[in-house]
Every structure is written in C-alpha cells, then in structure tokens.
Amino acid sequence: MTRPSYPFSAIVGQEQLKMALLLAAVDWRLGVLLRGDKGAGKTTTARALAELLPKPARFVNLPIGVTEDRLLGGMNLSSMLKGEAALQHGLLSEANGGVLYVDEVNLLPDHLADMLLDAAATGVSTVEREGFSAEQEARFVLMGSMNPEEGQLRPQLLDRFALVVDVSVSGVAAERREVVERRIAYDANPNGFADAWLDEERDLQQRVIAARAKLPFVRLSSAMLDRISTIVCELGIVSLRADLAIARASCAQAALLGCEAVLEEHVDAVLPLALGHRTGRPPRPPQASATPPQSQRPEPPPDTEGKDPGGKAERRFSSQSMTMPELRWNADDGVSGENGARKGLAPGPVVRSRRTERPAELDLRTSVLEAVVQTGRPKPRLQDLYEKVREPLVGARFLFVVDSSGSHATRERMRVVKGAVAGLVERSLRRRDEVAVITFRGEAAEVLVEPTGDVATVLAALEYLPTGGRTPLSHALEMAQQFVTPETLLLLITDGRGNVPTRSDDAWSDALQAAAKIRCCALVIDTESSAQALGKTKDLAEAMGAELISLTAFEAGYDFPILLKKSAK
C-alpha cells in the first residue's frame, strides 16, 4: 500500500509558505522558491500540495544529477535501433498537470535551470534531437527549494521565480511541540493520520479547483495596475517580471477568496512574496547597469567621519585603478571526472563526442551513424560506440576577506586595497563564478556582499566601504569558514595586525587558530609597507596552508597569472 503524503492542512504555522503554494496551485505560472533553514518542512509542504491539485496530478522530484535528455526528453533508444524515430518523454512532460519539485535548485547547472524555467513560463517543452523535433505540453506547478548556506542562485535565475518564501523554523516552543506531535502521530499511523485530516483536505482541494475555474474572470482594474507599477518603481526594481508576478498572484489570491475583482488587500498580501527577493541588493551607483572602467567610476562622497565601535574616526577612500593578474587554481581534487561534473551534480552541456567501448553517457546518434557507415545497418557494435563529452561545470567562489581597519587609512592605503580587490574580481571572475566579500574593522567583521555573480554590486559596495578602527582579524576568519565550499578560493587581504580577541585574551593566537581551520584554496595578500613590516602575514599564510604575496608586487605591475593549488591540510 502506498504511504499517503503528509496532509497540507496539518502543516503548523508557515502561513506565508502555504499561501505562496496555494497561489501557485491556482495559477501554475507562479513558480515558487522556498529558501531557508534545514528541517523547516519545505519538502514536506511541497509534496503535500500535489494532493490538493485536480487528479491525476503527479509529484515529480527532479534529481540534481539529471541530464538534459532526461529533463527535456529525447530519442527512444529501442525505436532508433530499429530505424524508427520515436520520442522518449522527459521529466518536464511527465510533470504536466502536477508539481515539479527541484530540491537544492541553486546547485542545478545553469543551462538546465534556464531550460526548466523557460518551460515553466511557457507551458511547453521543446525537444530537438538528431533531426527530430517535437513539442510537449508542460504546464506544471514549479517549486524549488534551497539552503542559502550552500550558495546562491544567479540573480537572473532568481528573478525568474515569481514568488520566494524565506522559510524559518519556529522559535516558539508550543508551536515546535505541536509540529513534533503531529509528525510522530503521522509516522506511527500514516493512513489514520491522513484520514483524520481528510475533511480539511477535501475542503481545501475544492477551494483550489473553484479558484482555478474563477481565475480567468477575475478583474484587474487599471487603478490596481497603476498601484502595482508605482510600488515597483518606487523600490527601484528594473525587471518587469516583478509587475507580472504581483498582478498574477493578486488575481490568484482574489480567486481563492471568491472575489470578482482584485482589491488593495489582495495586492498587499502578495507583495512580500513577489518583491522580497528583488529588493535585497546593496545600492548601486546611477550607472551601475554596466560596469564602467575604474577611471570613470563616480567618486564617493567627501571623506566623512563617524565613530566606529573602536572609537576611532572612519574615513572613505575611492579605489585606485590597478592592473591585477588572473587567479586560477588546480581543481583536480579527486571529485571531478573527465567530464568535469562534481559528484551529485548534473553534467554541463555537450561540447563534442569521442569513441569508446565503455561510454559513460552514450551518444546515440553518432553511434548509430557510425554503425550505418561501417556496416550498413543501424545496430551499433562495441567499436561503433561514442560517448558525450560535456563542458566542465564547477564554478568558483571567490571569498574576499578584506581588512578595512584604521591601519589602512595611513597614507590612504585603502585606495590600493580597494583597487586590488576590484581588479582581481574583474580579471578573474568567469561565468558560473560568484563573489562574496567579508570586511573587518572596529570590533567585528561583517558580510559586505553575500555570494553573487553580479560584479557591479560588488564594486559598488566596495567603493563606499568606510575605513577605520581596530582589527578583528580572528572574527573575520571565523565568519569566513561559514562561506567555504569545495570550490572556494579565499583571498585574505590584511597587514596581519589583529588586535580584537574572540575566544581568549590573545587576539593573535585566536587569529592563528581560526586560520588553521580554513579548508580551501587560499591566498594571503600582505598589505604591510616594508618600512614597518612585522611579518605576521607569513605566519597566517602558513597556518592556512596558503600562498603569500605582497600588495607592493601588484603595485609594481605584477601581471602574471597566479595558479594556486588546493591546501593539502
């Protein structure tokens, strides 16, 4: 007997989450992204939604290791060997009328994510294989989930999700207890638990069905459209997908509530879901839509003074234009195969084929053509087989840990530091790579830029970074550990003069202990001047298993690519 899904009606709390999923159930074009804490019930709630959709409705779980052929569909192998062209349906087609759920969607390769979101927006999946073309209906409720600690979605992909819900575990003891009690009851007797919630589930399902029928007739007045557009413009959001998401979600909300027209309260209810993920970036300079050359960037406001936690005046310095080298490292760590795909992740796009008697992924068309050429029959032999070779997929995370303490205000050293970081970002960042920036000054470190592939955001945030105060080096290194992934390149830019302890009374000892816990490829850029050098950055680099290079080398025109190797720690 099939185990019933956990009832949607039995989900405790999580009102924003449930509302977003119900809106998507009414209008399948409202793709929903669930991001947040582990163990918050994202997958359980997603599975429960499928039971509310008109039957038959499938719940299709898209594995991260899916290939393009399995996602879109392709040629049927047995039919092709007989010389007949027949379509093998993909997961997008199989999810038609139901729910397509992508757990850890932030780890899905870009080219597959683009295909998935295109199908979700149009309701059609197009297959182009070996001269064979077909279209399949793919109208499904798209749901993705992710844990931001494992990396962010590219801004372009994040914008394609109409609604985003930040899911967190309840901090109220009584609510947590109720969640656990219900889950224990469900695990003990799934069928009995599902039967106990059957009436609520049927009522909710009827609401969804009725709302779907009512949706085409819900009126969205010009006044409501004006209100939506005004709100979006006031927030400085560029993408028109924001307006469309609010409009569609407002209509779905009105239909769920049985209203004939969209009212202000319907718009207000969906605004956090449609706009929260589109308004979280740091402010940009007016021309940040395209990254201008360093010499053309606007100067920040005149040096301003305020009090930092260390009690010393803060100042702001614009960056100095610098020519920086390209940073690369040897990623051969035993987890990547010849096709460059990490374990558990999907491979990249196909770039060529190669002959092999043991294909990891069979290139059917090339194999059959080779057999026809060699034998006149479309039945490949071992010597006729070819495999697909895919583009390597692993992207890098450049994690900059930048010392912006008062020592860098001396001789306006911070101008050079900012110029070095900006130059490294512009020279080294490639497609699929992302940048995160941690800065430290005063009494604590802070995340200046969360992981992002948006270079303009990083450069704008750096330009307005203040300088001054003490040097909480150990706190910065402890914070950096939270952002380290197997593909992280950490760049620590400091003079090594940490003077704010975190775990003992010895700030330097705390810094060395934190540095020894870093487990990724790393480079320490020493910002000390030779006249006052203490040499502490050398000890930091040794503790991290990192390479060390002086900032003065870059100032002198060092422009050779830097190839680093992963730490053997």
Side-chain angles (χ1 to χ4, degrees):
M1 180 180 294
T2 303
R3 175 181 168 122
S5 297
Y6 192 93
F8 191 91
S9 305
I11 302 293
V12 179
Q14 304 290 5
E15 298 306 321
Q16 289 279 295
L17 169 58
K18 290 189 286 189
M19 182 174 75
L21 296 187
L22 287 175
L23 294 177
V26 173
D27 188 342
W28 61 271
R29 296 170 298 181
L30 295 171
V32 180
L33 174 64
L34 315 177
R35 61 184 183 185
D37 297 339
K38 301 180 290 289
K42 299 188 293 292
T43 302
T44 298
T45 310
R47 288 184 177 276
L49 180 70
E51 299 301 316
L52 300 180
L53 301 180
K55 301 300 184 234
R58 292 195 59 191
F59 182 90
V60 176
N61 197 335
L62 185 71
I64 292 299
V66 70
T67 62
E68 183 178 330
D69 286 347
R70 184 68 186 102
L71 179 68
L72 294 178
M75 299 297 296
N76 184 283
L77 177 60
S78 60
S79 298
M80 190 167 185
L81 291 177
K82 298 176 183 177
E84 303 171 358
L87 177 65
Q88 179 74 43
H89 291 286
L91 291 175
L92 296 182
S93 175
E94 293 176 11
N96 185 47
V99 175
L100 183 67
Y101 178 63
V102 190
D103 195 12
E104 298 180 324
V105 66
N106 51 321
L107 302 182
L108 193 66
D110 294 346
H111 70 291
L112 296 183
D114 287 333
M115 296 173 186
L116 172 62
L117 292 171
D118 283 342
T122 62
V124 175
S125 170
T126 303
V127 181
E128 300 281 353
R129 292 288 184 277
E130 290 81 35
F132 180 85
S133 178
E135 286 190 349
Q136 308 166 88
E137 191 172 22
R139 296 165 62 97
F140 49 78
V141 177
L142 174 64
M143 282 187 284
S145 67
M146 58 176 280
N147 184 345
E149 295 177 357
E150 297 174 341
Q152 300 289 339
L153 274 178
R154 287 191 295 126
Q156 298 90 334
L157 293 183
L158 182 61
D159 185 54
R160 299 287 292 274
F161 280 96
L163 309 176
V164 173
V165 186
D166 289 308
V167 185
S168 58
V169 178
S170 173
V172 180
E175 190 169 295
R176 293 176 70 102
R177 183 196 64 203
E178 187 174 1
V179 172
V180 174
E181 285 178 346
R182 291 188 183 182
R183 185 69 202 195
I184 290 174
Y186 169 76
D187 291 338
N189 185 2
N191 291 298
F193 187 85
D195 289 343
W197 290 89
L198 189 57
D199 290 341
E200 287 84 349
E201 288 287 280
R202 285 175 176 169
D203 290 343
L204 199 51
Q205 185 182 54
Q206 289 304 312
R207 281 185 59 197
V208 170
I209 294 173
R212 280 189 166 195
K214 191 178 188 64
L215 181 63
F217 306 103
V218 173
R219 296 192 308 276
L220 181 61
S221 66
S222 297
M224 285 298 103
L225 280 174
D226 286 341
R227 187 167 187 268
I228 291 170
S229 298
T230 299
I231 291 171
V232 173
C233 289
E234 287 177 349
L235 292 173
I237 298 172
V238 177
S239 175
L240 283 170
R241 293 192 181 98
D243 308 62
L244 284 170
I246 299 171
R248 288 169 175 168
S250 299
C251 290
Q253 176 75 343
L256 267 176
L257 298 176
C259 298
E260 301 291 335
V262 173
L263 306 176
E264 286 189 6
E265 52 263 35
H266 301 144
V267 175
D268 293 342
V270 304
L271 285 178
L273 301 173
L275 298 182
H277 58 300
R278 295 183 168 99
T279 58
R281 296 182 182 178
R284 295 185 180 187
Q287 74 275 37
S289 57
T291 305
Q294 292 273 7
S295 60
Q296 297 179 13
R297 289 190 191 135
E299 287 291 321
D303 290 352
T304 56
E305 293 190 356
K307 293 295 182 180
D308 70 0
K312 295 184 179 181
E314 289 185 345
R315 302 174 63 193
R316 288 189 176 88
F317 301 99
S318 60
S319 63
Q320 173 180 316
S321 179
M322 293 184 64
T323 300
M324 298 299 291
E326 180 187 17
L327 296 174
R328 292 290 132 199
W329 74 93
N330 184 358
D332 185 12
D333 56 2
V335 299
S336 299
E338 282 188 304
N339 283 352
R342 283 188 303 162
K343 292 180 179 179
L345 294 188
V350 177
V351 292
R352 63 186 179 87
S353 296
R354 64 181 166 208
R355 189 196 298 269
T356 174
E357 293 187 0
R358 294 182 178 180
E361 184 182 357
L362 180 65
D363 187 332
L364 183 59
R365 177 176 181 272
T366 305
S367 301
V368 171
L369 289 177
E370 179 69 13
V372 171
V373 170
Q374 298 298 330
T375 68
R377 302 174 60 192
K379 292 186 177 181
R381 305 163 299 174
L382 280 178
Q383 58 265 40
D384 300 325
L385 299 183
Y386 281 75
E387 73 173 358
K388 297 177 180 179
V389 179
R390 295 181 176 271
E391 177 184 330
L393 242 200
V394 179
R397 170 178 291 181
F398 291 86
L399 176 57
F400 288 89
V401 183
V402 182
D403 185 345
S404 59
S405 62
S407 60
H408 284 151
T410 305
R411 295 185 292 112
E412 300 187 351
R413 192 67 170 157
M414 197 61 190
R415 296 188 190 278
V416 181
V417 171
K418 288 184 177 182
V421 175
L424 288 170
V425 169
E426 292 179 318
R427 188 73 180 274
S428 302
L429 200 68
R430 296 181 177 180
R431 186 172 180 266
R432 300 191 189 95
D433 291 346
E434 60 183 10
V435 178
V437 181
I438 295 173
T439 61
F440 56 102
R441 69 185 189 282
E443 296 298 322
E446 65 172 339
V447 179
L448 182 68
V449 181
E450 295 280 353
T452 179
D454 190 341
V455 173
T457 295
V458 177
L459 299 181
L462 283 171
E463 194 72 17
Y464 292 86
L465 172 67
T467 305
R470 303 173 70 192
T471 312
L473 175 59
S474 58
H475 185 220
L477 292 173
E478 291 172 2
M479 183 176 288
Q481 294 171 27
Q482 304 172 19
F483 289 85
V484 170
T485 69
E487 287 76 43
T488 295
L489 172 57
L490 187 149
L491 296 101
L492 174 61
I493 304 169
T494 183
D495 56 15
R497 301 189 181 192
N499 51 27
V500 180
T502 54
R503 301 183 180 275
S504 69
D505 295 331
D506 187 340
W508 179 240
S509 175
D510 289 349
L512 287 178
Q513 290 182 29
K517 294 179 181 178
I518 298 293
R519 294 289 188 273
C520 67
C521 187
L523 172 67
V524 177
I525 300 178
D526 182 8
T527 62
E528 277 195 312
S529 62
S530 57
Q532 301 175 339
L534 298 179
K536 290 191 172 185
T537 50
K538 180 179 180 181
D539 296 333
L540 276 175
E542 290 177 353
M544 295 171 63
E547 295 194 33
L548 176 67
I549 191 168
S550 173
L551 185 59
T552 57
F554 297 132
E555 292 180 275
Y558 185 103
D559 192 23
F560 301 98
I562 300 177
L563 180 63
L564 304 173
K565 294 184 178 180
K566 289 196 173 183
S567 170
K569 291 192 299 181

